[in-house]
Amino acid sequence: MKAVRGTRDLLPPETALWNRIEATARDVFARYNFGEIRTPVFEDTGLFARGVGEETDIVSKEMYTWEDRARAQSEKTQSLTLRPENTAGVVRAYIEHGLGESGLLQKLYYIGPQFRRERPQKGRYRQFSQIGAEVIGPPSAGSESPLRDAEVLEMLSTLLDELGIKGWILHLNSVGSSADRARYNDALRAALVPVVGQMCVDCQRRAETNPLRVLDCKVPTDQPFIETLPVIADSLDEESKKHYAAVTAALDAAGVPYTRNHRLVRGLDYYTRTTFEFTHGGLGAQNALLGGGRYDGLSEMLGGPRAPGIGFAMGEDRLVLTLLAQQEGESVVTKADAYIAPLGDKEKADELVKLNAAALGLARELRHQGLWIELGEGSFRLKKSFDAADKTARQIVILGEDELQSGILTVKNFSTGVQSKVPRGELAVFLSIPANE
Ligand code: AMP
């Protein structure tokens, strides 16, 4: 049996990196006063159809959807979907629990798996993990303010820096209000009429159904045509222009670098005004580390109260790929502080049981004092214990009959080669001193 195409197992030592990323994200979110939300991994299919948009690639071809049969008369058969993204679920929860009634901004973050039936390739999987956050609330809480957009972007720049991601680029755009977008769609449609016949079949379809999506096209021969199309900045109304200018002014004041990218319209229908993406050159074709934007009408689309918001989702898999590429050549293997090697006589079963038991006691003592301990096995020969210890730990502690009697243990440090005799009472302190490397 093998893991399903597009899914994979994450194993140590790489999982240590995943944990470090998540710990850093939690720490940064806490400093910006965000709280964690955990929504279910599957939801009613209608949530995504309405929230993300029927016309999007995600909803039209990438969702894992099934009919969930009723198990009792009181239940209805329901169409369910593994979440392809988490914003719709967060906004559903915001509405369901009346979170807006507090009158305060809700600042929520999540970390968890998402599912899309995409064509797998490097950095693109069918189960992947996103770290994301949303700032949402009633307009009276200041949820429409461009300061919220700038604060989220500033937080992201801090998070990527603290994760150690070097050379990220923030692409920024405004897709305006839905009225602005309707105007822009008309302008695009008109501009596409004379050229679309020479473009790819996808663009020919998009020109009809959703002209904005033409800007996402990656087909090289289409690019010269796309470059001549009108830009959305020219379709923005005064309010949207003011909002965009205020976001960039705040970023300038905070010293967060960005580039304006008028083709950044993003793949989800719910975005309004500010949209953004952070990319990294080391990722290849799938170069987006994260994407997000404002979604001022989403709550109403899902039947909720007015609740403007802004959020983002970061691809954790891509953060890991970027960090692994950056630290290429560096060892990611972390070693235990010590390997405890009970050293007995294979022939004397009783003695072995006693030694192994004593070794467990010693390991427990040291672990309770905060040390990372690997516990060996008394029936191993000395050489086998040393080989195993060298691979997993910085030091080896030998526990034989003599050591047990005297309470003086033999410790060898693998990087210095030094062998020492250490009284049991001083062992924890001795082992915790970093190796003199
Ligand atoms: P989106 O929800 O499409 O805006 O995606 C936000 C971020 O999630 C992207 O910038 C990627 O980093 C990540 N992402 C999206 N789809 C995938 C996928 N299939 N595999 C891995 N990461 C993904």
Side-chain angles (χ1 to χ4, degrees):
M1 299 288 284
K2 288 202 167 145
V4 171
R5 183 169 143 81
T7 72
R8 64 218 172 102
D9 302 305
L10 303 173
L11 306 170
E14 194 185 297
T15 38
L17 187 53
W18 286 75
N19 283 325
R20 183 174 75 69
I21 289 171
E22 289 168 19
T24 304
R26 288 178 195 283
D27 179 56
V28 170
F29 290 143
R31 275 186 274 145
Y32 285 77
N33 208 23
F34 279 70
E36 184 176 4
I37 182 167
R38 301 187 189 196
T39 66
V41 163
F42 55 84
E43 300 262 7
D44 190 289
T45 305
L47 173 67
F48 304 113
R50 281 163 72 185
V52 180
E54 306 258 19
E55 267 301 312
T56 58
D57 281 354
I58 293 180
V59 174
S60 63
K61 44 186 186 206
E62 294 169 2
M63 295 205 304
Y64 287 96
T65 297
W66 70 99
E67 283 297 309
D68 204 52
R69 273 177 290 128
R71 295 198 52 187
Q73 287 221 309
S74 56
E75 279 184 339
K76 280 195 300 234
T77 295
Q78 195 179 6
S79 176
L80 301 180
T81 293
L82 287 179
R83 62 183 185 198
E85 58 94 63
N86 218 153
T87 300
V90 171
V91 177
R92 189 227 4 98
Y94 173 92
I95 299 166
E96 185 169 338
H97 303 288
L99 298 183
E101 284 156 26
S102 68
L104 299 173
L105 274 185
Q106 299 297 310
K107 296 163 71 175
L108 304 164
Y109 79 87
Y110 58 83
I111 299 178
Q114 317 293 335
F115 307 85
R116 295 182 194 173
R117 194 187 282 106
E118 297 196 83
R119 195 169 49 76
Q121 64 182 88
K122 181 185 166 203
R124 190 159 74 185
Y125 312 99
R126 291 182 167 179
Q127 174 175 337
F128 58 99
S129 178
Q130 283 185 336
I131 300 177
E134 316 291 347
V135 180
I136 179 171
S140 60
S143 56
E144 282 177 299
S145 168
L147 178 57
R148 301 278 73 92
D149 311 33
E151 189 186 21
V152 163
L153 291 165
E154 189 278 322
M155 174 171 80
L156 279 167
S157 78
T158 298
L159 176 52
L160 291 176
D161 287 347
E162 291 197 12
L163 285 171
I165 305 266
K166 300 196 178 77
W168 50 262
I169 298 173
L170 160 55
H171 301 256
L172 194 61
N173 194 20
S174 174
V175 294
S177 64
S178 47
D180 297 342
R181 269 216 307 284
R183 248 198 320 279
Y184 183 51
N185 263 321
D186 290 342
L188 274 182
R189 220 175 246 124
L192 280 164
V193 171
V195 291
V196 78
Q198 300 164 68
M199 297 175 72
C200 71
V201 285
D202 279 340
C203 280
Q204 298 189 9
R205 181 177 46 79
R206 292 174 185 138
E208 291 292 318
T209 56
N210 194 351
L212 219 58
R213 296 270 77 81
V214 169
L215 303 182
D216 293 337
C217 176
K218 299 263 164 26
V219 176
T221 49
D222 283 5
Q223 301 311 308
F225 298 112
I226 295 173
E227 286 307 320
T228 65
L229 295 173
V231 297
I232 194 158
D234 296 333
S235 296
L236 299 186
D237 66 10
E238 276 314 305
E239 283 305 305
S240 293
K241 277 188 188 148
K242 268 204 310 222
H243 188 98
Y244 192 22
V247 174
T248 52
L251 290 177
D252 291 339
V256 177
Y258 58 89
T259 72
R260 294 173 197 261
N261 180 345
H262 59 76
R263 278 180 63 173
L264 186 74
V265 290
R266 315 257 314 124
L268 287 73
D269 278 357
Y270 53 56
Y271 287 111
T272 51
R273 295 196 171 161
T274 310
T275 54
F276 55 86
E277 219 164 75
F278 283 70
T279 59
H280 193 277
L283 280 167
Q286 301 303 317
N287 69 351
L289 283 172
L290 69 96
R294 190 165 261 291
Y295 43 82
D296 290 350
L298 181 56
S299 173
E300 291 101 309
M301 271 160 71
L302 298 176
R306 198 142 170 258
I310 179 158
F312 63 86
M314 202 146 70
E316 199 178 354
D317 304 70
R318 295 189 194 172
L319 293 176
V320 169
L321 279 174
T322 306
L323 289 172
L324 284 177
Q326 274 180 205
Q327 54 181 227
E328 214 157 70
E330 278 177 41
S331 165
V332 286
V333 180
T334 41
K335 288 191 166 180
D337 291 310
Y339 180 103
I340 296 178
L343 209 64
D345 185 344
K346 234 181 168 166
E347 310 305 318
K348 297 185 182 152
D350 287 353
E351 196 182 292
L352 214 59
V353 169
K354 211 175 85 197
L355 259 175
N356 271 342
L360 179 64
L362 179 60
R364 175 174 159 91
E365 204 175 294
L366 296 170
R367 286 167 174 157
H368 282 195
Q369 294 182 78
L371 289 162
W372 291 19
I373 301 297
E374 181 72 26
L375 179 58
E377 158 59 40
S379 64
F380 287 1
R381 287 179 192 284
L382 190 61
K383 176 158 183 340
K384 183 163 173 180
S385 288
F386 263 88
D387 286 349
D390 197 12
K391 289 194 185 103
T392 52
R394 294 191 292 111
Q395 309 167 85
I396 184 169
V397 178
I398 293 165
L399 183 69
E401 197 55 45
D402 289 351
E403 283 83 3
L404 210 52
Q405 295 296 327
S406 66
I408 309 278
L409 294 124
T410 307
V411 179
K412 182 170 176 184
N413 184 314
F414 289 114
S415 53
T416 61
V418 173
Q419 194 156 313
S420 320
K421 297 274 184 203
V422 185
R424 184 160 178 156
E426 295 167 22
L427 191 59
V429 172
F430 184 89
L431 293 174
S432 63
I433 296 170
N436 313 317
E437 283 156 285

